[in-house]
Amino acid sequence: MSLITRSGALRLFVRARTFSTVPPPRLRRPGRVLVLSSALTTSVLGYVFYNDASNTEPAPFDTRTLSDLLRAYIVYGTCSIAPLVDAAPTILDTLFSIPGVSKIVESFVRATFFHQFVGADTANGALPLLTSLRAENKGALFSYAVEVDQKEVTGQTNMEGQPVHKRIIEEIIRSINASADFEDGRDAFQDGHIGRRTWVSVKLTAMLPNAQSLINLSTHLTNTRAQLEPPVLFPGTPSPSDLSILHSSASTGTLTESDIHDLNELYSDLVQICTRAEERGVRVFIDAEYSWYQPAIDAFGHALMERFNKLPSNGFLRTWWDMSSWTSSPSARKSVDDRMRPLVYVTYQTYLRRMPAHLTHSLALAHARGYALGVKLVRGAYHPYEVAAHHLARSADSAVGSPRSLSISPDPEPPVQPSKDATDQCFHDCATVLIDAISQDVHRSGRFGAPSIGVFFATHNWTSCESILEELVKKGLGVVERVGVNEMQEDVVRIPLEVGERIAFGQLYGMSDALTNYLVGRTRCERPCVIKYVPFGTLVQVMPYLSRRAIENKSVLGAGGATRERKGAAALIWKKMKGLVVS
């Protein structure tokens, strides 16, 4: 009875409201503005998304989930707004300093930019990602993405009283162990450390108390290196005697006693890292940085390659793939570790005008000194900063009280290429030289000979990747095959194992996923040929990396790059949504 009464009362209430002449309460002006703004924003966003999706062809071979694509669309939609990208560091610093707001901003950044571009808080935390990547036939290049502010780093310690750079070195070693543990757990066939595709990169400026020591060493090398013929433009090219200055305990020219002590300690730490990497079968990549650090970085890199990439003394007859040595004794197992070459890779930036002369000299130096050359070929990420620093240094020569520039180049022109086209052409020329060197190495050493060269093509450029594949086929390092059935047939490039041990493609995690997936679909090899560069670190630690990554990689995110990524994500979202409706 009570239920009927309530229902009757409800009908009377509704009828009364229906025929009431009292006007409904009106929204106040702020409310109307909010509703209209929301409606307008939703309409604009809907139109932009429809326009992006309908005018873009979905990329083939893409395996991203709908949630991954939605996150990518939000992130690259934000990165498409150039002024916002440039102001990002200032905006984030301001928002993170506001109590209450900082937690909201942190949650947003973690759910979007952090998960888009960072693998995890720790190397071990990224193991599920490694498993996911390997299931898609992709490898990983770990990077502890902690960027040290040189204005604050000198003498800085953490809460336990440990120097910051020592903590970073320990974290790099932990990432080597995590990489090796992941590969060890895959299958017994990889016990010989051949075919492993989980590697580690290091950034030298973060590995000593004060990065000024690297600048001082670079200045010393620029002033004292012997002139070559033909000359190599700044920042020059390494010499076997570059680090001989570290045997001195007294200050010399631009180097103080403190510099020499810290640089010696850096070399010892790098040897420790590379020794552990050799024991665990993990390749080590040395990142390139600004040109004022580069002479010193090159010197350390080539010294490490000469020590850890040493080729067998009896030439190329000693094999890197000898199944009989996998069996029993520690000495036999150690011989397999010795044959993992190259172990150490150095980064070559093709936006520097010294290329390809620097590359040619490096190939000759490695051959003369008997070590395998490891090359990570990139375009470069610091072009506008290099130009600005060079011009500032030139103007400071005649201007009293001018801001200090870090540039140490003695050349009248900036050390970088004058245009993006020149950089692209240089990358193409260097890639051609390297593929030719790989071809000669494979034909000279045979299928199972110790590699004297390894190349990691780190590029987000579709044209470059297609050109490299074509050059591999042209040199007989890959074979085009037709796979699939009927209308689903497609051409792929089959890369033999001995070539796969010498080459790989790479893109940054969270960037150019369409290209990464395309390369995976276009190649066939016994081991992954495509690598994702996976940064890791806590959100607080990687915030400088996230903001700087957006600014420094204008070649990827700028010049329409972010817009292309956004439209590509929209097309795939639209394709998946239509698939859900049809199914």
Side-chain angles (χ1 to χ4, degrees):
M1 185 65 183
S2 60
L3 179 61
I4 296 175
T5 304
R6 288 196 197 98
S7 300
L10 179 61
R11 286 197 298 272
L12 288 171
F13 174 77
V14 172
R15 190 177 298 116
R17 293 295 300 168
T18 304
F19 294 101
S20 173
T21 58
V22 179
R26 300 181 62 186
L27 289 172
R28 294 182 179 179
R29 182 174 296 276
R32 292 200 302 273
V33 171
L34 180 60
V35 170
L36 290 172
S37 299
S38 300
L40 180 61
T41 302
T42 303
S43 300
V44 170
L45 292 177
Y47 173 77
V48 171
F49 175 80
Y50 176 77
N51 189 58
D52 287 345
S54 59
N55 294 322
T56 307
E57 188 70 22
F61 307 113
D62 203 289
T63 58
R64 284 175 288 177
T65 65
L66 184 58
S67 60
D68 290 338
L69 292 168
L70 288 170
R71 183 183 64 232
Y73 187 77
I74 293 171
V75 168
Y76 283 109
T78 304
C79 290
S80 300
I81 307 171
L84 185 60
V85 172
D86 292 333
T90 302
I91 294 173
L92 290 173
D93 286 344
T94 302
L95 293 176
F96 272 105
S97 66
I98 303 175
V101 175
S102 61
K103 290 294 183 182
I104 300 173
V105 175
E106 180 179 335
S107 298
F108 173 78
V109 172
R110 176 172 286 278
T112 53
F113 288 84
F114 183 89
H115 285 307
Q116 181 70 23
F117 298 122
V118 182
D121 291 75
T122 64
N124 283 317
L127 292 179
L129 173 62
L130 298 187
T131 302
S132 175
L133 289 173
R134 191 57 58 89
E136 299 172 354
N137 201 29
K138 303 168 189 172
L141 175 58
F142 266 142
S143 173
Y144 186 38
V146 176
E147 298 194 357
V148 180
D149 188 336
Q150 303 307 328
K151 296 177 181 178
E152 301 174 358
V153 70
T154 306
Q156 189 175 347
T157 59
N158 61 14
M159 293 180 65
E160 290 77 25
Q162 183 187 36
V164 170
H165 69 285
K166 291 298 184 182
R167 173 176 55 80
I168 291 172
I169 290 164
E170 289 183 358
E171 195 64 44
I172 291 170
I173 293 175
R174 277 193 286 269
S175 71
I176 290 172
N177 290 331
S179 301
D181 291 344
F182 171 75
E183 293 289 350
D184 288 346
R186 290 201 50 78
D187 58 51
F189 184 75
Q190 293 184 177
D191 279 352
H193 295 168
I194 301 304
R196 292 182 164 222
R197 288 298 183 270
T198 309
W199 306 328
V200 169
S201 71
V202 298
K203 194 179 184 75
L204 264 57
T205 53
M207 295 173 60
L208 70 175
N210 188 351
Q212 183 64 40
S213 297
L214 285 174
I215 299 177
N216 292 346
L217 177 57
S218 291
T219 303
H220 168 79
L221 294 174
T222 301
N223 294 336
T224 60
R225 275 176 178 163
Q227 291 295 316
L228 299 174
E229 195 59 44
V232 179
L233 296 175
F234 177 84
T237 195
S239 166
S241 61
D242 278 348
L243 297 185
S244 60
I245 185 65
L246 301 187
H247 299 312
S248 171
S249 59
S251 58
T252 306
T254 59
L255 288 167
T256 66
E257 291 183 25
S258 176
D259 289 333
I260 293 173
H261 172 272
D262 292 343
L263 291 168
N264 272 304
E265 193 172 79
L266 171 62
Y267 182 73
S268 297
D269 289 333
L270 287 168
V271 168
Q272 179 189 5
I273 288 170
C274 292
T275 299
R276 187 57 176 160
E278 186 175 45
E279 292 169 351
R280 301 301 309 271
V282 177
R283 287 187 165 119
V284 176
F285 289 71
I286 298 176
D287 282 347
E289 303 189 49
Y290 293 102
S291 65
W292 40 90
Y293 298 121
Q294 210 53 49
I297 293 174
D298 290 339
F300 280 105
H302 280 261
L304 292 169
M305 284 197 290
E306 183 164 357
R307 177 165 179 165
F308 290 94
N309 293 2
K310 205 71 177 176
L311 290 168
S313 57
N314 57 340
F316 297 94
L317 299 178
R318 190 177 172 193
T319 63
W320 56 266
W321 195 34
D322 180 5
M323 294 184 68
S324 64
S325 67
W326 294 4
T327 51
S328 49
S329 69
S331 60
R333 178 64 56 84
K334 184 66 170 67
S335 68
V336 174
D337 296 343
D338 283 344
R339 293 195 291 274
M340 183 185 177
R341 296 295 177 268
L343 180 79
V344 179
Y345 283 65
V346 172
T347 304
Y348 287 72
Q349 301 161 298
T350 59
Y351 78 166
L352 290 176
R353 293 189 300 122
R354 68 170 175 172
M355 300 282 283
H358 167 51
L359 178 60
T360 301
H361 180 270
S362 296
L363 288 164
L365 180 63
H367 179 74
R369 305 288 291 186
Y371 62 87
L373 183 67
V375 176
K376 176 186 171 187
L377 192 67
V378 304
R379 278 173 167 78
Y382 308 109
H383 193 283
Y385 301 94
E386 292 283 357
V387 173
H390 186 82
H391 289 329
L392 179 60
R394 290 286 141 185
S395 62
D397 288 342
S398 57
V400 178
S402 298
R404 179 175 175 269
S405 171
L406 292 173
S407 176
I408 61 172
S409 171
D411 299 337
E413 298 296 325
V416 292
Q417 303 281 3
S419 66
K420 176 69 162 55
D421 289 342
T423 299
D424 290 341
Q425 185 61 51
C426 186
F427 187 96
H428 173 78
D429 294 342
C430 290
T432 302
V433 168
L434 289 167
I435 293 172
D436 187 60
I438 292 170
S439 176
Q440 294 178 30
D441 185 44
V442 170
H443 290 121
R444 179 173 57 239
S445 58
R447 185 176 184 190
F448 305 128
S452 67
I453 186 169
V455 184
F456 182 46
F457 297 104
T459 176
H460 298 85
N461 188 291
W462 286 73
T463 302
S464 293
C465 291
E466 283 291 355
S467 176
I468 291 166
L469 289 175
E470 290 173 5
E471 195 67 24
L472 290 173
V473 173
K474 178 181 175 183
K475 293 292 184 180
L477 301 174
V479 179
V480 177
E481 295 181 355
R482 193 78 171 164
V483 299
V485 294
N486 300 328
E487 295 84 7
M488 301 300 293
Q489 288 188 339
E490 59 190 5
D491 289 336
V492 300
V493 178
R494 183 165 297 280
I495 299 173
L497 180 59
E498 64 271 20
V499 178
E501 271 301 300
R502 290 167 167 86
I503 70 158
F505 295 88
Q507 290 83 43
L508 292 166
Y509 178 67
M511 292 187 184
S512 300
D513 289 331
L515 175 58
T516 301
N517 293 324
Y518 172 77
L519 289 170
V520 171
R522 275 274 283 148
T523 56
R524 297 289 187 276
C525 189
E526 294 181 39
R527 292 292 182 266
C529 285
V530 187
I531 310 294
K532 274 297 191 182
Y533 182 98
V534 180
F536 69 92
T538 65
L539 179 59
V540 173
Q541 291 171 334
V542 303
M543 279 305 299
Y545 168 85
L546 290 174
S547 58
R548 203 165 299 171
R549 176 59 62 195
I551 295 174
E552 290 175 351
N553 283 275
K554 291 293 183 67
S555 60
V556 180
L557 298 179
T563 301
R564 286 191 295 273
E565 292 280 348
R566 186 194 74 217
K567 290 182 176 181
L572 289 165
I573 292 170
W574 189 249
K575 179 182 178 181
K576 287 183 179 291
M577 291 174 64
K578 288 196 295 185
L580 291 173
V581 172
V582 171
S583 61

